[in-house]
């Protein structure tokens, strides 16, 4: 089910779709050109903003970010930091949950101290 369309770079439409099927540890996913969000998180604008950062990363790298994200922990960490910063700009109260995600959900191999310093 479509929640709506968001725009990145003012002219690229990104469909936001409600979808219950995704890895357990995530409430939303970016698939390059689209965002999937669990039904219970469909109104989480900060989370959707996080995923839209990943869509921007996709377009500005001509899709190569997906490969680099998969191959490189450091690239993945930088990509997630950028997305989490945007998420926390909208919802600062999500900080501790976001830190926990960075420590557990992306195989980043970073310490809590490093994450707290970098955010
Ligand atoms: Zn992310």
């Amino acid at each position: 089910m479509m929640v709506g369309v968001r725009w990145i770079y003012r002219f690229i439409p990104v469909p936001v779709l409600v979808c219950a099927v995704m890895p357990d540890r995530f409430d939303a996913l970016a698939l390059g050109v689209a965002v999937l969000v669990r039904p219970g998180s469909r109104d989480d604008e900060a989370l959707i903003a996080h995923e839209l950062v990943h869509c921007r990363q996709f377009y500005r790298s001509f899709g190569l970010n997906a490969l680099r994200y998969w191959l490189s922990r450091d690239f993945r960490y930088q990509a997630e930091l950028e997305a989490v910063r945007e998420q926390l700009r909208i919802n600062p109260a999500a900080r501790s949950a976001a830190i926990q995600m960075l420590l557990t959900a992306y195989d980043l191999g970073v310490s809590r101290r490093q994450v707290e310093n970098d955010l």
Side-chain angles (χ1 to χ4, degrees):
M1 181 189 3
M2 180 99 86
V3 172
V5 173
R6 305 304 168 88
W7 296 84
I8 58 174
Y9 299 123
R10 297 178 186 268
F11 67 97
I12 299 174
V14 178
V16 178
L17 308 166
V18 173
C19 176
V21 181
M22 67 183 73
D24 286 345
R25 63 192 186 279
F26 297 123
D27 289 326
L29 280 178
L31 300 176
V33 299
V35 168
L36 305 181
V37 61
R38 284 190 193 279
S41 297
R42 62 184 293 166
D43 297 322
D44 187 339
E45 290 300 326
L47 181 61
I48 292 169
H50 172 126
E51 301 306 334
L52 290 173
V53 169
H54 291 315
C55 295
R56 287 197 287 272
Q57 291 166 346
F58 175 83
Y59 278 103
R60 76 182 186 221
S61 71
F62 302 99
L64 292 176
N65 72 313
L67 185 61
R68 295 187 69 198
Y69 187 98
W70 183 62
L71 290 174
S72 165
R73 266 185 170 173
D74 186 59
F75 184 88
R76 194 159 58 240
Y77 182 50
Q78 296 305 323
E80 290 303 335
L81 279 178
E82 182 186 2
V84 168
R85 287 184 188 122
E86 176 65 5
Q87 182 177 2
L88 297 183
R89 190 182 64 76
I90 295 168
N91 181 16
R95 183 177 171 89
S96 64
I99 289 171
Q100 197 57 34
M101 284 292 289
L102 289 169
L103 292 173
T104 61
Y106 305 100
D107 185 28
L108 297 172
V110 291
S111 68
R112 177 175 295 275
R113 175 172 295 186
Q114 184 177 356
V115 170
E116 288 176 349
N117 283 340
D118 291 342
L119 265 184

